[in-house]
Amino acid sequence: MDWNKTKTIFIIVFSILNVFLYSLYLDRVMETQNVQVIGQTSIEESLGLDNITFTGLPPATKDSSYVSAKIVTFTNEQTKNLVNQTTEVLNGTYLQSKLDVPISVRNSKGEYSFTEFLSKHVLNGTEYVLWEVNEEKQQALFFQKADDNPIYFSPDAMLEIYWNEEGKVTNYKQRMFGEFVKFNHKKDLLSPIEAIGSLSSRGYLNQDSKITSMKLGYSTLVQLTETQVFAPTWHVRVELKDGKIEDYFIHAVEGKIIEFDHE
């Protein structure tokens, strides 16, 4: 048996096999890319048919983690450092404060600014982000942030500030979480356009509406006695044809629509 000849044949065969397998691999890659392009195009085309517009979507976030945290139990050591206010803690986790001397949060133009008040008069105040100002109720609602992103409508991560007719804060109510811990492996997230497509395919978006903003945050996934788990969540703000504003929340991993009890 001519071993050299046999070895040469094996080399040629394996070389041909490698080329064939690489060719199959390239074909699969191209097919996947084509499917992704077709899928994205179909979302955009579907939105275009209903004249649903969007501009300035945030960049796609490749992955993110679930986070967990424990509800903070307020201590006398914390509250005694709050100046110009009388505080009461209910059930250990619900802080109510009344300002001894009301503090203005409205300027001469009638605009509200809470930055200074949060940093000077609220425990960990800089960890909260403004969600809504209700001038009729003279109230502002804030959400605590996790990993610099808001936790949407968790009763245990809210700050409510109230003011009088002069635009001066009279009292506030606060709940908050302690240190946030990332856990589990990072998850692939829906891109902004995929999240919008999820809303559209479920019939949530009306014709002639406009996506005005999108932001990534968190929503409660699991709620235990003291510890809660939060999932990455897209917040999509939509302006309808008549000017009405609607807010939608989408689980950024699973794509399901999340509905909150805003009350």
Side-chain angles (χ1 to χ4, degrees):
M1 180 177 180
D2 189 343
W3 171 245
N4 289 330
K5 185 176 181 181
T6 302
K7 184 171 65 173
T8 302
I9 294 174
F10 271 109
I11 291 174
I12 294 173
V13 170
F14 278 112
S15 297
I16 294 173
L17 180 60
N18 285 335
V19 171
F20 175 71
L21 291 175
Y22 183 66
S23 176
L24 284 179
Y25 166 76
L26 290 179
D27 288 342
R28 290 291 178 86
V29 170
M30 292 301 296
E31 287 176 5
T32 302
Q33 291 177 343
N34 289 337
V35 168
Q36 291 174 342
V37 171
I38 291 172
Q40 180 165 322
T41 302
S42 65
I43 293 174
E44 295 174 345
E45 288 178 348
S46 176
L47 295 174
L49 292 175
D50 288 330
N51 195 31
I52 297 171
T53 59
F54 54 89
T55 55
L57 295 183
T61 302
K62 185 177 180 180
D63 52 37
S64 183
S65 299
Y66 290 88
V67 299
S68 66
K70 289 185 177 181
I71 301 172
V72 164
T73 298
F74 294 103
T75 65
N76 292 331
E77 189 69 23
Q78 291 173 309
T79 57
K80 75 177 185 180
N81 295 322
L82 295 172
V83 298
N84 185 37
Q85 50 192 294
T86 302
T87 61
E88 179 183 11
V89 178
L90 304 179
N91 300 321
T93 61
Y94 188 26
L95 175 63
Q96 295 183 329
S97 175
K98 182 177 181 180
L99 277 293
D100 299 331
V101 178
I103 298 175
S104 179
V105 289
R106 192 169 62 191
N107 59 28
S108 58
K109 297 180 181 180
E111 301 168 336
Y112 293 92
S113 176
F114 302 94
T115 304
E116 184 175 357
F117 180 82
L118 291 176
S119 62
K120 291 184 177 181
H121 301 282
V122 178
L123 287 172
N124 297 359
T126 56
E127 293 184 9
Y128 291 84
V129 62
L130 179 64
W131 168 257
E132 179 183 56
V133 172
N134 189 322
E135 295 195 54
E136 183 178 347
K137 294 183 178 180
Q138 297 175 332
Q139 170 196 15
L141 177 62
F142 297 78
F143 296 150
Q144 189 179 359
K145 295 181 289 184
D147 196 24
D148 207 35
N149 293 316
I151 303 172
Y152 299 116
F153 291 101
S154 168
D156 297 306
M158 287 186 185
L159 170 69
E160 299 168 77
I161 293 177
Y162 300 85
W163 56 87
N164 58 23
E165 295 291 342
E166 299 175 345
K168 295 182 178 181
V169 173
T170 57
N171 61 295
Y172 68 84
K173 303 174 182 178
Q174 181 186 12
R175 293 187 178 95
M176 70 179 183
F177 287 94
E179 182 181 1
F180 291 91
V181 178
K182 295 182 180 181
F183 74 100
N184 214 333
H185 297 295
K186 289 186 175 181
K187 303 294 184 180
D188 292 335
L189 300 186
L190 293 177
S191 67
I193 190 65
E194 288 172 335
I196 294 173
S198 180
L199 275 177
S200 178
S201 65
R202 288 170 168 82
Y204 283 91
L205 298 181
N206 295 333
Q207 289 185 343
D208 304 315
S209 58
K210 179 181 180 182
I211 311 298
T212 60
S213 66
M214 283 190 71
K215 181 173 178 57
L216 190 64
Y218 290 95
S219 62
T220 302
L221 178 67
V222 179
Q223 183 170 344
L224 305 175
T225 304
E226 295 181 355
T227 303
Q228 295 185 23
V229 177
F230 304 95
T233 301
W234 281 113
H235 165 223
V236 182
R237 178 157 287 178
V238 182
E239 181 179 346
L240 303 183
K241 186 177 181 180
D242 60 4
K244 181 181 177 182
I245 300 297
E246 293 183 343
D247 293 290
Y248 296 100
F249 302 88
I250 305 150
H251 193 299
V253 177
E254 299 177 1
K256 65 182 180 181
I257 311 302
I258 302 170
E259 296 185 358
F260 298 104
D261 182 1
H262 292 193
E263 297 300 320

